[in-house]
Amino acid sequence: MSPTSAQHAALRVLLEDVEPLLKQADEVAATLKAVREELNADLETLGALVQRTVDAQPALLEAGRKLNGSAARIEASMGSAGAVPPAKPGRPGAWLAVLAASVGSALLSAALVTAVLCFVGRDLLEQARIGRALQSAWSSLDAGTRIKVHEVMRK
């Protein structure tokens, strides 16, 4: 093989190796360009939003000043009109209605608690009866039955 043909062969091998890399570099460059365009668009949007915020601050300050002035005028008019007369007391029997409602609520709560305790108590009474019956019959039970009772009690 001659030196020029060896060089040509080496160049071909290099070009075959470099060509995929060049394609990848082109793809990366296209992606970078798209990202740069999106970033510029986002930065423009952000700049517009910041500008709107800056522009809105004086208007907010002015609105606050107007509200403060209105509040001062209202307070001044309330002060010049004199003290507000005290509120009239409610009906004389209003406190009786509140007391009756409170007592009724307490009685209803007591009835509800009693009903729950009766319901739960029945189950406890039944368990106590079973326990007493089991204690009285325990000595007469055989070993297999005792083991079964222990297993049931552990569940």
Side-chain angles (χ1 to χ4, degrees):
M1 194 183 265
S2 69
T4 53
S5 61
Q7 286 177 349
H8 287 285
L11 284 174
R12 282 189 188 140
V13 169
L14 282 174
L15 286 175
E16 289 174 1
D17 289 342
V18 170
E19 187 175 357
L21 293 174
L22 289 174
K23 287 181 182 178
Q24 286 179 352
D26 289 339
E27 291 172 1
V28 168
T31 303
L32 181 62
K33 183 179 178 183
V35 167
R36 186 176 295 147
E37 289 172 357
E38 289 176 8
L39 179 62
N40 285 337
D42 290 344
L43 286 175
E44 287 176 9
T45 303
L46 179 62
L49 290 174
V50 167
Q51 186 60 43
R52 284 178 46 195
T53 303
V54 169
D55 293 342
Q57 286 178 353
L60 289 173
L61 288 173
E62 184 61 29
R65 286 187 197 115
K66 287 180 181 178
L67 285 174
N68 196 15
S70 296
R73 285 193 304 273
I74 291 171
E75 288 174 357
S77 68
M78 294 291 286
S80 65
V84 178
K88 294 181 181 178
R91 295 179 303 169
W95 65 275
L96 287 176
V98 172
L99 181 65
S102 299
V103 169
S105 175
L107 290 175
L108 185 61
S109 297
L112 182 63
V113 168
T114 303
V116 168
L117 288 176
C118 286
F119 180 72
V120 171
R122 286 183 184 170
D123 189 37
L124 290 175
L125 287 175
E126 185 65 27
Q127 288 179 3
R129 284 187 202 127
I130 291 171
R132 283 192 297 269
L134 189 59
Q135 282 179 341
S136 65
W138 190 258
S139 59
S140 64
L141 296 176
D142 63 340
T145 307
R146 288 180 183 177
I147 291 171
K148 288 179 184 178
V149 168
H150 277 294
E151 288 174 357
V152 169
M153 288 174 57
R154 289 186 184 145
K155 288 182 182 179

